[in-house]
């Protein structure tokens, strides 16, 4: 137990409710910002340029260094949960067509602005505006982008060619895969039959990847077929282990699919917009009306949810191409922890109020995604405690949990700080609330997100709540 940190977070039994003194052991946000800057210098890592750098979900305008105002505007969902938005997003990034972005909620986690439903009465996403004209339906949008911007890396073979016929066949195969995945995922009867159909279609996908020579569907180069398959295979690779206990990636069962994922994960475009298993297994049920778990999946599900006591705790299990959640580029813990700290420090005021919902009141108007509660109210009385807890998390990310522990013990031995048991539990609840809502890619890429989740757990363990 880290006595100093417990004290700093206010769990050493004092009764005084004035938090300002008790949390003085946590570095200020200004001090943390200076530490982030110093660490950036030390590691030679800088936050990417959102307009011209690698694909980044925080970007609202992408120019790719091309002059003039972008002609294209993409409406995509705020949380980056929508697979049809992901298709178009990947296509725009691969083609490097300048565009602006407006993020719109999906109904399962929030409200849509009336200006959007006036434009798109169904509220469906994605939508695309080109020169003031609005387009919906991802397939139509993708065709339009190919036709309208031929000077930007074509992603489809010339119409009428043999390659174009093959691309058509592959696009139909993606729909077949969707149709064989969905019933297995969402229905509880005929498990064996549905599994057999799903595996058969995965075999067909793997065989097509082999037939094309790989690593991509059409051969050595990425094509529009990837933009369509990526959202689907990504959701399959997350949901089938979690709900059905069958590992899809990294086992050699579908070697060409493994190779395809590895190739996709060499691309800055895909890496910037891909999600993670946890986010997907949370985002699919509200979109699909529920997914059905089978008992054999319980162990894998606990590891993905971080409830197994290991997978979201320090020291984190390595992230490799064969880990439970494969990630071909692996990880870089110094940079990953820095990225997580930089995001937390840079957005601390909003994150503190958001996390404090965990010790506040649920909203009066609920939405269907269990982890979303747009009208929840933060626990105002605990904001200083939550703020301090988050500063400790950021500090641990920057100096490392072990050094943090040593420093905290030294502080404790020196007798600094005094606290109140009154705030430890709410602070821990706030950290847990935030930890469970770190979304990939919306908030951070996977390697940094898992560091943030694990460092929240470190602080929660210290609080002993
Ligand atoms: N066929 C459409 C499907 C689009 C679609 O179903 N979008 C869903 C999100 S995945 C949506 O916007 N639903 C409304 C909402 O959830 O607010 C396309 O390909 O664009």
């Amino acid at each position: 137990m880290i006595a100093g940190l417990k004290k700093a977070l206010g769990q050493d039994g004092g009764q005084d409710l004035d938090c300002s003194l008790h949390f003085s052991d946590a570095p200020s946000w200004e001090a943390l910002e200076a530490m982030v800057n110093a660490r950036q210098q030390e590691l030679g890592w800088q936050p990417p340029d959102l307009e011209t750098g690698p694909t980044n979900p925080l970007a609202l305008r992408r120019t790719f260094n091309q002059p003039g105002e972008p002609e294209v505007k993409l409406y995509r969902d705020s949380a980056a949960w929508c697979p049809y938005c992901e298709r178009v997003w990947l296509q725009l990034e691969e083609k490097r067509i300048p565009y602006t972005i407006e993020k719109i909620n999906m109904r399962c986690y929030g409200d849509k602005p009336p200006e959007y439903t006036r434009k798109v009465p169904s509220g469906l996403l994605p939508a695309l505006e080109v020169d003031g004209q609005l387009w919906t339906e991802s397939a139509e949008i993708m065709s339009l982008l190919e036709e309208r911007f031929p000077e930007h890396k074509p992603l489809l073979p010339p119409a009428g060619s043999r390659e174009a016929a093959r691309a058509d066949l592959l696009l139909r195969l993606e729909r077949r895969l969707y149709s064989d995945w969905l019933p297995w995922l969402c229905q509880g009867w005929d498990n064996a039959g549905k599994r057999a159909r799903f595996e058969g279609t995965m075999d067909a996908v793997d065989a097509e990847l082999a037939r094309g020579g790989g690593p991509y569907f059409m051969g050595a180069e990425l094509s529009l077929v990837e933009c369509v398959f990526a959202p689907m295979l990504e959701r399959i690779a997350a949901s089938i282990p979690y709900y059905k206990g069958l590992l899809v990636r990294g086992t050699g069962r579908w070697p060409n699919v493994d190779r395809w994922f590895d190739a996709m994960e060499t691309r800055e475009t895909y890496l910037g917009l891909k999600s993670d298993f946890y986010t997907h297994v949370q985002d699919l049920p509200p979109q699909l009306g529920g997914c059905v778990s089978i008992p054999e999946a319980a162990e894998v599900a606990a590891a993905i949810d971080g409830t197994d006591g290991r997978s979201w705790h320090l020291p984190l299990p390595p992230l490799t191409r064969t880990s439970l959640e494969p990630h071909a580029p692996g990880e870089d813990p110094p940079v990953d922890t820095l990225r997580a700290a930089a995001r937390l420090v840079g957005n601390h005021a909003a994150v503190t109020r958001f996390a404090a919902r965990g010790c506040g009141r649920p909203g009066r108007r609920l939405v269907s995604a269990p982890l979303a509660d747009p009208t929840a109210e933060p626990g105002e009385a605990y904001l200083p405690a939550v703020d301090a807890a988050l500063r400790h998390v950021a500090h641990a990310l920057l100096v490392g949990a072990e050094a943090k522990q040593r420093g905290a013990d030294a502080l404790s031995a020196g007798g600094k700080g005094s606290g109140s048991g009154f705030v430890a539990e709410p602070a821990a609840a706030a950290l847990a609330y935030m930890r469970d809502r770190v979304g990939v890619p919306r908030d951070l890429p996977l390697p940094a997100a898992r560091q943030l989740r694990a460092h929240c757990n470190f602080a929660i363990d210290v609080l002993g709540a």
Side-chain angles (χ1 to χ4, degrees), residues 132-187:
Q133 201 185 335
L134 188 83
W135 297 78
T136 55
E137 288 298 320
S138 58
E140 303 223 355
I141 294 172
M142 289 188 293
S143 303
L144 170 82
L145 289 171
E146 288 306 308
E147 279 163 26
R148 177 83 186 235
F149 299 95
E151 70 282 14
H152 288 262
K153 186 169 90 168
L155 294 179
L156 274 180
S161 63
R162 263 189 39 211
E163 288 75 20
R166 176 166 163 75
D168 272 355
L169 178 144
L170 290 167
L171 294 174
R172 281 200 297 278
L173 179 60
E174 186 272 340
R175 286 295 84 186
R176 188 180 130 199
L177 181 60
Y178 173 72
S179 310
D180 288 335
W181 165 66
L182 202 65
W184 191 28
L185 184 64
C186 300
Q187 295 167 5

Side-chain angles (χ1 to χ4, degrees), residues 143-447:
S143 303
L144 170 82
L145 289 171
E146 288 306 308
E147 279 163 26
R148 177 83 186 235
F149 299 95
E151 70 282 14
H152 288 262
K153 186 169 90 168
L155 294 179
L156 274 180
S161 63
R162 263 189 39 211
E163 288 75 20
R166 176 166 163 75
D168 272 355
L169 178 144
L170 290 167
L171 294 174
R172 281 200 297 278
L173 179 60
E174 186 272 340
R175 286 295 84 186
R176 188 180 130 199
L177 181 60
Y178 173 72
S179 310
D180 288 335
W181 165 66
L182 202 65
W184 191 28
L185 184 64
C186 300
Q187 295 167 5
W189 45 275
D190 186 24
N191 183 56
K194 289 191 168 67
R195 175 178 173 150
R197 264 190 301 285
F198 168 78
E199 290 187 297
T201 304
M202 280 297 291
D203 290 344
V205 169
D206 197 73
E208 283 302 340
L209 278 164
R211 187 166 300 130
Y216 300 111
F217 279 94
M218 298 290 291
E221 299 297 331
L222 175 141
S223 74
L224 205 67
V225 178
E226 269 66 45
C227 301
V228 171
F229 262 97
M232 188 50 48
L233 281 170
E234 194 183 305
R235 282 156 183 77
I236 285 171
S239 61
I240 293 300
Y242 184 87
Y243 290 102
K244 309 297 170 187
L246 173 68
L247 300 186
V248 170
R249 219 188 133 181
T251 64
R253 166 78 173 80
W254 290 295
N256 298 293
V257 173
D258 284 341
R259 182 173 61 152
W260 178 86
F261 269 117
D262 290 354
M264 291 297 286
E265 288 178 352
T266 63
R267 309 185 79 87
E268 279 185 343
T269 51
Y270 183 62
L271 277 182
L273 57 78
K274 69 165 270 197
S275 185
D276 74 339
F277 282 12
Y278 177 73
T279 307
H280 276 322
V281 301
Q282 297 297 332
D283 76 41
L284 286 168
Q287 292 183 72
L288 299 176
C291 301
V292 175
S293 293
I294 61 171
E296 296 86 312
E299 203 178 317
V300 174
I304 293 173
D305 277 339
T307 53
D308 63 349
R310 289 190 306 274
S311 57
W312 286 22
H313 282 79
L314 298 173
L316 281 169
L319 191 58
T320 68
R321 46 164 52 83
T322 55
S323 47
L324 170 64
E325 175 155 11
H327 187 71
E331 60 192 332
D332 184 352
V335 170
D336 303 333
T337 46
L338 171 60
R339 283 188 83 142
R343 188 95 176 91
L344 181 52
V345 172
N347 202 21
H348 66 85
V351 177
T352 301
R353 290 195 69 77
F354 177 79
R357 290 174 173 187
C359 50
R361 271 209 304 271
R364 273 186 283 273
R365 195 176 46 72
L366 296 179
V367 289
S368 62
L371 293 182
D373 189 356
T375 54
E377 291 168 28
E380 300 283 345
Y382 302 117
L383 283 172
V386 176
D387 182 85
L390 287 168
R391 283 183 280 128
H392 280 299
V393 171
H395 191 213
L397 282 161
L398 286 162
V399 299
E402 277 177 26
K404 178 80 179 158
Q405 184 150 5
R406 282 195 302 275
D409 288 343
L411 273 179
S412 155
K416 273 182 72 180
S418 67
S420 160
F422 166 72
V423 288
E425 236 173 76
L431 291 184
Y433 184 91
M434 202 265 284
R435 173 201 66 200
D436 293 346
R437 287 161 182 78
V438 174
V440 175
R442 181 194 58 199
D443 303 318
L444 286 167
L446 168 62

Side-chain angles (χ1 to χ4, degrees), residues 77 81-85 87 105-108 112 122-126 136-139 141 287:
D77 84 296
W81 286 5
C82 163
Y84 302 100
C85 298
R87 291 171 165 191
N105 289 331
M106 285 171 68
R107 290 197 185 87
C108 61
K112 289 188 197 287
S122 66
L124 283 186
L125 295 158
T136 55
E137 288 298 320
S138 58
I141 294 172
Q287 292 183 72

